Amino acid sequence: MEFDLIERIRRRTDTQRDDVRTGIGDDAAIVAVPAGRELAVAIDTLVEGVHFPVGTSPEDIGWKALAVNLSDLAAMGATPAWALLALSTPDGSPAFFDGLADGFAQLAGSYRLALIGGDTTRGPLTVTVAVHGFTSPGEALLRSGARVGDIVMVTGTLGDAAAGLRCLGEPDVAPYAALIERLNRPVPRVSAGQALRGIATACIDISDGLVADLGHICAASGVGATIDAPMLPRSSALFSHFDDAVALDFALSGGDDYELCFTVPADRAATMTADLARVGCGVTRIGRIVEGQGVRVLDAAGNVLSPSHTGWNHFAS
Ligand code: ADP
Ligand code: MG
């Protein structure tokens, strides 16, 4: 790809950091990890038509490609530092590159994250970002630490992004702007993840849906979980456009929320809630860790709900 286009990205994502010895422009970047710290490294690819709808703006694509990666660092409690960007695109226009770089930079700037390299090729539209963050030895939030008796918590609200995706097909999308914003501009819970270090016993970010992702904590920890469906935090935007049953489906199974789901011993709940409030993050208790395996969802009466192609229902009799 033309050097020109890479240079456009470099100029628009120019964050200065002392620990970047050599950034974009050489054969490899050279960076310095602070003494005594460890690297948390994650990578995620977004494919057009799979991870974002055809027609998504270059700015939103740039933002989201970084956001989903920062969400992985958030779920580890790591502090973001650097990123690599590998781009395959059929569109070699300056406008596309500028838009993508601007969306990326809008989010990177909040974390003083430096883009230190990448790769650019012509091909179907896919965007891969790799991020690097710092953790101290033994401090990262793993999926494997949940214990029977812990409570299960989530940050923010669930289901908006899946609802936003559903609304994109509407002839007039203006009334759904808040939901579509959650789909296109997810805000990773970086400071919440850092505040949970030393407090949460296990943590994951919700990319595939609450039940699926909490299931990963259960599998890694060798425990089960029970969720109380009426407790699931859902936004007023979600309830104003969808009925209860659909809002529940989105909250349980919808992807792309990028909230954190974590477990914590019950006697630490108050401290944890105060810590998260300090970083501006709301949190809701949604269930508990139990013996066994897998995730059970209970309705208000304590009956088990089960997933089907029509959504989460009571077992058919
Ligand atoms: P090479 O052939 O050595 O891989 P490239 O032409 O691919 O060199 O890249 C030149 C420089 O630009 C490298 O430092 C590379 O990391 C950087 N770079 C290429 N594409 C991107 C991109 N999309 N985002 C950020 N940096 C990039
Ligand atoms: Mg290259």
Side-chain angles (χ1 to χ4, degrees):
M1 254 310 170
E2 294 141 65
F3 171 75
D4 237 40
L5 294 172
I6 298 171
E7 182 55 21
R8 298 187 86 92
I9 293 180
R10 192 192 62 72
R11 273 205 310 272
R12 284 165 182 268
T13 57
D14 193 24
T15 301
Q16 298 299 323
R17 290 179 63 106
D18 291 345
D19 55 14
V20 179
R21 308 287 195 246
T22 300
I24 293 173
D26 215 311
D27 294 312
I30 307 292
V31 290
V33 181
R37 305 212 77 190
E38 294 177 343
L39 272 188
V41 184
I43 186 166
D44 259 315
T45 296
L46 303 189
V47 177
E48 180 180 46
V50 179
H51 302 100
F52 58 87
V54 175
T56 303
S57 74
E59 287 83 358
D60 287 344
I61 296 169
W63 172 290
K64 188 166 182 173
L66 178 58
V68 303
N69 278 279
L70 289 179
S71 182
D72 282 323
L73 289 187
M76 303 302 285
T79 305
W82 314 307
L84 297 166
L85 168 63
L87 185 57
S88 156
T89 174
D91 181 353
S93 71
F96 176 82
F97 276 71
D98 289 355
L100 190 113
D102 285 347
F104 185 101
Q106 284 160 20
L107 185 58
S110 334
Y111 302 105
R112 281 193 49 255
L113 176 131
L115 182 64
I116 57 172
D119 195 30
T120 307
T121 59
R122 217 175 265 280
L125 181 52
T126 73
V127 185
T128 299
V129 172
V131 286
H132 311 74
F134 304 141
T135 68
S136 291
E139 194 184 61
L141 303 172
L142 306 181
R143 297 178 178 184
S144 52
R147 295 293 171 257
V148 173
D150 286 355
I151 58 177
V152 178
M153 314 282 307
V154 289
T155 60
T157 59
L158 300 177
D160 287 348
L165 182 61
R166 175 83 57 94
C167 294
L168 280 181
E170 298 293 319
D172 176 15
V173 296
Y176 312 109
L179 299 173
I180 293 169
E181 177 90 358
R182 287 286 311 266
L183 174 70
N184 289 333
R185 296 263 170 162
V187 178
R189 294 290 190 179
V190 173
S191 45
Q194 290 170 23
L196 289 173
R197 290 187 299 220
I199 297 178
T201 49
C203 186
I204 193 166
D205 68 314
I206 303 175
S207 53
D208 296 334
L210 171 67
V211 172
D213 289 318
L214 177 55
H216 295 315
I217 285 184
C218 289
S221 300
V223 296
T226 299
I227 294 174
D228 298 310
M231 313 262 273
L232 295 178
R234 281 155 286 171
S235 71
S236 52
L238 182 62
F239 278 127
S240 67
H241 294 294
F242 294 94
D243 68 26
D244 260 28
V246 177
L248 179 64
D249 291 340
F250 285 146
L252 286 169
S253 316
D256 271 4
D257 288 321
Y258 300 102
E259 297 292 349
L260 298 181
C261 174
F262 59 95
T263 59
V264 68
D267 61 7
R268 286 195 186 164
T271 319
M272 177 273 302
T273 303
D275 288 348
L276 290 194
R278 217 167 290 129
V279 296
C281 180
V283 71
T284 307
R285 174 179 183 158
I286 59 165
R288 58 211 157 273
I289 296 296
V290 297
E291 278 173 28
Q293 54 185 31
V295 178
R296 282 193 325 156
V297 181
L298 306 183
D299 69 8
N303 298 315
V304 176
L305 298 174
S306 62
S308 75
H309 64 284
T310 59
W312 287 80
N313 299 308
H314 297 276
F315 283 114
S317 51

